[in-house]
Amino acid sequence: MSWQDFYITYRDGFGQTLERGSRELSSLPGELEGYASGLDATGRYENGGPLVLKLETGRRVVSWLRALPVQTVGRAGAWEAWGVAGSADDDPRYWPWYWSELCTGPRPVTKLAERLTKGGSSTGLPEPPLALPAILLAFQQQKEPPFVVMMREPTDLDLLPWVWLLGPIDPLAATLGPPRPRPHASRPFSYEAVWEPEVEAYGSSLSAATRAAAFSVQRIQSLQASPTALDEILAARAGKGVLTAAMPSAASGVSVAPKAPPQQARQQDVSMHPADLGESHDEGAGHGTEATPPDPRRGPQGYYYSAEKHGEKQKPGRLRRFFSRKAPARALLPAKRPVVRAAPPSGRRWLVAITTLLGTLVLLDAVTLIAILRWQRSTPPAGSGGAANVTSSVTTVAPVTTVVPEDKLGVVCSSEFTASTEQQQLAAALVAAARSGKLQIAAQLEDIAVAAADPKAPLWQQSTRDRLVHAATQIHLQDRHCLAAQPIDGVLGDRTRPALAKCPAVSGLTDMDHLRWLCKWLGANMGGK
Amino acid sequence: MNLLALLRSDDGKCPLCGGGATYHVWDEIEPQELARKLHENAEWKKAHGVAGPIDLGPGQRMPGFDKNRPKTPAPQSHVRCATCASLLPPSFYVKSTHTFSLTVTGFPSSGKSTWLKHAFEHSSFGVFAEAGRIGIEKYPYAEPFQVEGSNSRTNIPFLLSGREVELVDGRERRKVLVRILDVMGERFHQDREAAVPRSTRDILQRHLLQGRRGALLALDPLKGAGASSVPPADAAATALLGKIGQAFADVHRAVASELDHQNRTGSSLWSGVVWTHLDKATWNDEGPVWLSAALKGGPPPSLGTLGAMTLPSDDDHQIWQAATHSLTPIDIWRVASAVWRQAFRNPSDYEERRAAAGSGPRGPGLLPWEEVAAAPASKAALEALIALLFRVQVAYRYLVPPGVPLLDFSHGDGLPYIDGTRVLAQGLYVLWDQLRSGIVGQMVVNGTISEVLPVGFVGRAPGATSGGHPVWGDLILAQAIEGSGALQ
């Protein structure tokens, strides 16, 4: 059975009725009843939320679910749902790309149905929310279900499709949603998303977001850059092997992910491992970042996001293996030609093995030591330097890749990637671009950037940092879509231009267009241009 | 109820799964914990027709699953089915000669759960409750909910609840244990193109067969308001109506056949239609016109006044008393006779039914055929008469002060009034069902369905489907119990 569009609503005298959909789906209202009951029809989430799951009957649904107000239907407890339904073997993994179509109302989601039926790569890339990296970080650190997404604002709903896709579980076994208006029974799922405005939300812990930004952006860019990236990521997450994904181009890979040196950034294919989510987080945590993600299990309401399959607890061992699996060191080294050697005589095998092991350990220690030294050197000491120093650091940064012991969870680290240095790099780049005359940026943003570039100034407040990182992320992601209207000659590198040629034209110039300019400038510089 | 719970019955069975064995549980758990345990119990979910998770909000503690009797004194135990773990109210397993199984069929939002809830509650618009003629004790749980829950629609397809009803007739007090099966309306049209699922019919039959006496009620709502809404809204509604009617007939036939086959002495099945939402009907100008044409000698003034009355609020007592003080059972029987002549156009059928309706001590009965004018009722006139019917029910509270003999169910003078109203309701229902091409009305005509029990609500907010006071809700319950022979 391919994916079929459906719409269920409440009809007086008929109850919950399948208004649109084939006869095969006639039992779907009853199957969704348990998920739909108790939804809030009048609260802040009155517009409902996503529900993506594999039902107990084996049917899969990708849907939007919301309660109907009593004033409309004359009865409490009524609801409506729309979306697509498929069989147990159908692959739902591309649905986040059609998030906007799904959440706009009870209209046929033909594009979603067609894409899921067709499979393969997706087109277009909605903008991931800023808090996504922090949530992924929290999930990664938590390791064990339940996983809870804190919801502060209705716009936080945008988190859910990406958490579903990029979270630390296999989407084929994951359940997402629906919203809950009040404390409910503990669900048979290990992931829950909670809405409780009074509780500190992930969205405000942007230091964590900053630490994880590199991962998130890079991962999402990889999904877009390579038609097969999604499949590879998912396969890797399912424990089928090491992920191999195309690295983002220079223009897109530098503004918030300056961890790769120019030499490595030019590598067309660099192996990534699912556990690389933890590397930057681990690094950031080691530098004393102040924000600790709130207990995601606090609060009784909201969404849930399940890693379990209909009551079957996911085996903890699998998750542990998933996160602690160490990426091969060679994955981050430039590709080498394979060397074919003759097998040593059997009498010498032990000697060769021991020698190789000792050599590897020495090499790892050396690399780790170098990484630590470089990190200490690249971290600007408090009270020294200013905008000029930071600008200099942008051009001289030379990240070093290292491998940390497995028991520290992190696998692959870029020692230069810290919250402060990244932000300062961004800020300095903004200032430099504006002062060089190559770029006009909004005055307000320029003020922020100037202030943020000065380590002495007490400006690393949450709001400043948030705005800066947010702006950079916006720039970075949006320039993947619509940049063709800008005069890019002389600013962008050869690797960026082809990518931009695929983007649709934008109409009118806004502040965001200027910010996109900024991103290109950063891309060109950080990319070695 | 607790004393009765001590008397275990060996023949008690779970109507959901058919299991006969039970076990006691002694603990109580939080609703969230209960939901988790129920979700993990595949048998419970299968028996209750639940496909997804069970979702419970905060509330009082519910019976749990611990079979170990605690050492602390005076624990309260509950009983679960050994097969599907369903929580069984005492009336499902307590040994008694007076048991009564009650279940309902009907549209979604036809008021099944609402009526079941209100039928067992005291109401100022009841027939018996105000006079202390009926006593009701309820088991507080209808797993997974509390009985005193919200007014939201039921989202569990099958719910079991229980009541102990005590009917007082003079010095005689008779207790009946009522087993209630509440069925979610969507279960009757899960597949819009197919018949009512076999599983649903099986559960209905199993439930009715396990009690010595039972009642199968079809709840049929008066849809909308205004004359244009009297006929069926659309083809889909007609199809659904046919499905529910067919399911009702199938279950009735199967249960009756099985009772005959088992030759269970004293067992019987009573069937009736609960005609709900009558408060939505509105009086209009066609009402007086039809009454003048149909009633020889002209209608009594009290009927026209009553039909035009606005449904009462708490402050309208004197107004309604003034409007209804001259209303007599004769007036109601005259209208009922005219309506019946429309419903039973064949004189022989009419006379046969007239004889069955009775006369003498219980009231004047239907007038002879030749004394009733043949004045076809238009749709508008029909709706006006339905509005009048409901106001006749409402007027009973104001016409007869509580405590007077008129309220006596068995021997009082109120019976002609009540019986005339019931006969009027039957005739109006048949006419109304003919207009919408239904099949349930025909069952009333041919006797498959014994009774039409009218019910509406007063004091509801405009557009609301819950709240307010049910009018004559306890009469329906008493009729069903009496009609099934559970008191014998």
Side-chain angles (χ1 to χ4, degrees):
Chain A
M1 185 177 100
S2 61
W3 293 93
Q4 299 182 33
D5 178 69
F6 73 85
Y7 175 48
I8 298 168
T9 190
Y10 185 84
R11 189 175 165 195
D12 186 32
F14 292 83
Q16 296 298 149
T17 307
L18 183 70
E19 287 289 304
R20 187 176 67 237
S22 68
R23 188 178 177 182
E24 296 174 68
L25 305 179
S26 60
S27 62
L28 191 56
E31 295 174 35
L32 293 180
E33 185 73 55
Y35 300 92
S37 60
L39 297 181
D40 190 359
T42 57
R44 302 171 71 194
Y45 290 90
E46 62 183 350
N47 291 325
L51 177 69
V52 182
L53 79 165
K54 185 178 181 182
L55 295 165
E56 294 179 8
T57 55
R59 197 198 308 274
R60 288 188 185 276
V61 292
V62 177
S63 65
W64 192 272
L65 197 61
R66 71 180 174 192
L68 292 170
V70 180
Q71 295 80 4
T72 303
V73 297
R75 194 160 199 207
W79 52 274
E80 64 178 348
W82 62 90
V84 292
S87 65
D89 298 329
D90 288 331
D91 188 348
R93 291 177 296 177
Y94 289 92
W95 78 272
W97 268 256
Y98 297 88
W99 163 257
S100 57
E101 184 187 34
L102 184 66
C103 68
T104 49
R107 293 174 293 188
V109 284
T110 52
K111 291 180 181 178
L112 173 61
E114 289 175 4
R115 172 57 62 183
L116 292 183
T117 301
K118 190 183 299 179
S121 63
S122 62
T123 60
L125 181 63
E127 179 180 308
L130 184 60
L132 175 63
I135 291 176
L136 296 176
L137 166 67
F139 285 2
Q140 186 274 335
Q141 291 177 332
Q142 181 184 325
K143 297 182 184 179
E144 298 293 340
F147 296 103
V148 180
V149 179
M150 303 296 295
M151 309 287 287
R152 279 199 316 175
E153 301 293 338
T155 53
D156 290 341
L157 283 174
D158 294 342
L159 289 165
L160 298 180
W162 300 103
V163 171
W164 180 89
L165 178 63
L166 301 173
I169 54 169
D170 182 359
L172 291 175
T175 295
L176 177 69
R180 295 285 117 191
R182 52 186 169 77
H184 276 70
S186 57
R187 296 263 175 178
F189 309 102
S190 58
Y191 277 179
E192 291 188 8
V194 172
W195 169 50
E196 190 172 22
E198 292 75 18
V199 178
E200 182 186 7
Y202 285 119
S204 63
S205 56
L206 282 178
S207 59
T210 305
R211 282 184 277 124
F215 160 76
S216 174
V217 172
Q218 201 168 45
R219 172 67 57 86
I220 294 168
Q221 287 168 347
S222 300
L223 297 178
Q224 186 192 28
S226 169
T228 60
L230 176 61
D231 290 330
E232 292 177 356
I233 287 177
L234 295 170
R237 290 171 48 189
K240 297 176 182 176
V242 175
L243 172 69
T244 301
M247 281 293 289
S249 63
S252 59
V254 289
S255 61
V256 281
K259 65 179 182 180
Q263 294 81 3
Q264 289 187 2
R266 291 194 190 96
Q267 297 293 328
Q268 290 302 308
D269 293 291
V270 174
S271 294
M272 296 169 55
H273 191 272
D276 62 3
L277 169 60
E279 41 125 352
S280 57
H281 306 153
D282 199 43
E283 180 84 3
H287 288 74
T289 49
E290 69 283 9
T292 301
D295 182 1
R297 283 161 290 193
R298 289 168 60 186
Q301 308 164 341
Y303 288 76
Y304 61 88
Y305 173 49
S306 170
E308 292 181 359
K309 189 176 179 181
H310 309 302
E312 299 175 7
K313 273 198 171 182
Q314 190 162 354
K315 295 178 181 177
R318 180 185 168 189
L319 275 179
R320 287 199 192 93
R321 288 198 304 274
F322 178 81
F323 286 112
S324 61
R325 189 184 299 119
K326 188 175 179 180
R330 65 176 180 276
L332 287 137
L333 299 176
K336 294 180 179 179
R337 289 184 178 180
V339 178
V340 180
R341 295 178 179 176
S346 59
R348 295 169 55 196
R349 284 180 182 172
W350 279 108
L351 180 60
V352 171
I354 292 172
T355 305
T356 305
L357 178 62
L358 291 175
T360 303
L361 291 175
V362 170
L363 178 61
L364 288 176
D365 288 344
V367 171
T368 304
L369 179 61
I370 292 172
I372 293 173
L373 291 174
R374 288 205 175 212
W375 168 76
Q376 289 176 340
R377 196 167 54 188
S378 64
T379 303
S384 66
N389 288 343
V390 174
T391 304
S392 175
S393 72
V394 171
T395 56
T396 58
V397 64
V400 173
T401 301
T402 185
V403 177
V404 297
E406 186 175 2
D407 58 359
K408 292 187 178 179
L409 184 66
V411 178
V412 184
C413 296
S414 171
S415 61
E416 280 71 19
F417 179 67
T418 66
S420 60
T421 55
E422 184 209 25
Q423 291 160 0
Q424 288 173 352
Q425 287 166 7
L426 291 173
L430 287 167
V431 173
R435 292 177 177 171
S436 68
K438 293 181 180 179
L439 176 67
Q440 290 183 345
I441 64 175
Q444 192 179 18
L445 181 61
E446 185 173 357
D447 291 342
I448 295 172
V450 170
D454 182 3
K456 290 191 298 183
L459 293 171
W460 292 107
Q461 299 171 358
Q462 195 72 38
S463 59
T464 304
R465 191 163 55 216
D466 290 357
R467 296 190 63 178
L468 188 62
V469 175
H470 182 69
T473 307
Q474 296 275 333
I475 297 166
H476 180 74
L477 294 172
Q478 292 202 11
D479 82 339
R480 303 280 303 172
H481 289 292
C482 42
L483 292 170
Q486 296 298 315
I488 58 176
D489 289 337
V491 178
L492 299 175
D494 293 335
R495 282 166 292 150
T496 307
R497 198 172 291 112
L500 298 178
K502 299 177 182 178
C503 298
V506 295
S507 59
L509 296 178
T510 63
D511 288 347
M512 191 55 67
D513 293 321
H514 292 295
L515 299 180
R516 294 188 192 106
W517 266 97
L518 170 62
C519 180
K520 296 181 194 65
W521 188 88
L522 290 170
N525 283 275
M526 298 294 287
K529 284 286 179 183
Chain B
M1 190 66 80
N2 294 337
L3 291 175
L4 293 174
L6 298 176
L7 302 172
R8 287 284 310 280
S9 171
D10 294 333
D11 58 359
K13 287 186 179 179
C14 172
L16 301 181
C17 69
T22 59
Y23 63 90
H24 282 261
V25 294
W26 302 90
D27 62 326
E28 290 188 343
I29 57 179
E30 295 296 329
Q32 288 84 357
E33 176 71 3
L34 175 68
R36 188 184 64 78
K37 289 181 177 293
L38 295 181
H39 180 79
E40 294 170 352
N41 191 322
E43 289 298 325
W44 190 96
K45 293 181 68 177
K46 180 183 177 183
H48 285 77
V50 177
I54 292 98
D55 194 6
L56 301 177
Q60 299 178 22
R61 292 166 67 84
M62 299 284 294
F65 295 85
D66 190 356
K67 299 178 183 177
N68 298 319
R69 179 174 183 141
K71 296 179 180 178
T72 53
Q76 170 73 44
S77 72
H78 302 275
V79 169
R80 290 189 176 277
C81 171
T83 304
C84 68
S86 297
L87 182 68
L88 299 177
S91 55
F92 281 81
Y93 59 87
V94 167
K95 190 172 184 179
S96 172
T97 56
H98 299 295
T99 58
F100 170 66
S101 298
L102 176 64
T103 189
V104 290
T105 65
F107 288 80
S109 68
S110 60
K112 296 183 297 298
S113 301
T114 304
W115 174 73
L116 282 172
K117 179 180 178 182
H118 287 297
F120 295 92
E121 288 180 349
H122 289 179
S123 167
S124 58
F125 286 89
V127 174
F128 309 108
E130 288 295 295
R133 301 298 187 188
I134 189 168
I136 295 172
E137 189 175 349
K138 63 188 174 189
Y139 184 65
Y141 309 109
E143 193 176 62
F145 306 115
Q146 298 268 342
V147 172
E148 293 293 342
S150 68
N151 290 319
S152 297
R153 52 183 287 271
T154 305
N155 54 24
I156 302 293
F158 301 103
L159 291 175
L160 301 179
S161 59
R163 301 287 193 282
E164 181 186 273
V165 178
E166 184 181 54
L167 295 172
V168 181
D169 186 6
R171 293 183 177 180
E172 187 177 3
R173 294 172 177 267
R174 289 170 292 185
K175 289 185 179 179
V176 180
L177 300 180
V178 184
R179 307 171 172 182
I180 302 169
L181 171 64
D182 187 10
V183 186
M184 183 181 177
E186 280 87 342
R187 292 293 299 190
F188 294 102
H189 73 117
Q190 192 172 37
D191 186 341
R192 60 190 176 194
E193 298 176 22
V196 173
R198 182 71 212 175
S199 58
T200 300
R201 287 183 289 172
D202 287 347
I203 290 176
L204 289 173
Q205 292 172 22
R206 192 181 299 132
H207 175 65
L208 292 171
L209 284 169
Q210 285 175 1
R212 290 177 60 82
R213 278 96 176 182
L216 174 62
L217 297 178
L219 264 76
D220 201 356
L222 181 73
K223 302 299 292 183
S228 60
S229 65
V230 173
D234 53 35
T238 304
L240 177 57
L241 179 70
K243 286 173 59 176
I244 292 175
Q246 191 60 49
F248 183 94
D250 290 346
V251 172
H252 185 275
R253 189 184 311 113
V255 172
S257 173
E258 184 64 22
L259 289 175
D260 289 343
H261 178 70
Q262 295 179 358
N263 192 21
R264 291 166 64 170
T265 305
S267 298
S268 61
L269 176 66
W270 187 84
S271 56
V273 173
V274 182
W275 198 14
T276 59
H277 297 185
L278 295 190
D279 50 299
K280 292 183 177 179
T282 55
W283 181 256
N284 56 61
D285 294 340
E286 290 293 312
V289 173
W290 186 86
L291 288 173
S292 298
L295 302 183
K296 291 185 176 179
S302 56
L303 288 180
T305 304
L306 184 62
M309 289 290 289
T310 304
L311 292 180
S313 62
D314 292 339
D315 301 329
D316 296 337
H317 201 100
Q318 292 183 347
I319 300 174
W320 271 77
Q321 278 187 324
T324 59
H325 74 281
S326 62
L327 187 65
T328 66
I330 301 293
D331 300 334
I332 301 170
W333 279 98
R334 290 182 65 198
V335 180
S337 300
V339 169
W340 269 58
R341 178 158 180 180
Q342 300 302 309
F344 300 92
R345 295 188 172 88
N346 189 328
S348 60
D349 288 346
Y350 178 86
E351 292 298 336
E352 184 180 343
R353 300 291 290 184
R354 177 174 173 268
S359 59
R362 302 195 70 177
L366 292 168
L367 299 176
W369 175 268
E370 60 274 11
E371 294 184 17
V372 181
S378 64
K379 293 178 182 176
L382 182 58
E383 177 157 6
L385 290 172
I386 296 171
L388 176 62
L389 164 67
F390 184 60
R391 280 153 182 77
V392 166
Q393 291 182 267
V394 173
Y396 189 80
R397 177 194 176 190
Y398 304 100
L399 185 64
V400 183
V404 302
L406 198 63
L407 284 171
D408 192 292
F409 178 65
S410 298
H411 310 293
D413 295 335
L415 278 177
Y417 190 101
I418 295 172
D419 286 346
T421 307
R422 289 161 50 194
V423 172
L424 175 62
Q426 283 192 49
L428 288 174
Y429 181 81
V430 171
L431 289 177
W432 178 75
D433 195 59
Q434 288 172 352
L435 273 180
R436 62 170 185 168
S437 304
I439 64 172
V440 183
Q442 188 58 36
M443 295 184 205
V444 175
V445 173
N446 63 26
T448 304
I449 291 179
S450 310
E451 190 93 33
V452 175
L453 305 165
V455 66
F457 283 80
V458 294
R460 275 186 174 176
T465 56
S466 61
H469 304 284
V471 178
W472 290 15
D474 55 355
L475 173 68
I476 304 170
L477 176 65
Q479 279 296 116
I481 293 174
E482 184 191 47
S484 68
L487 296 175
Q488 298 172 1

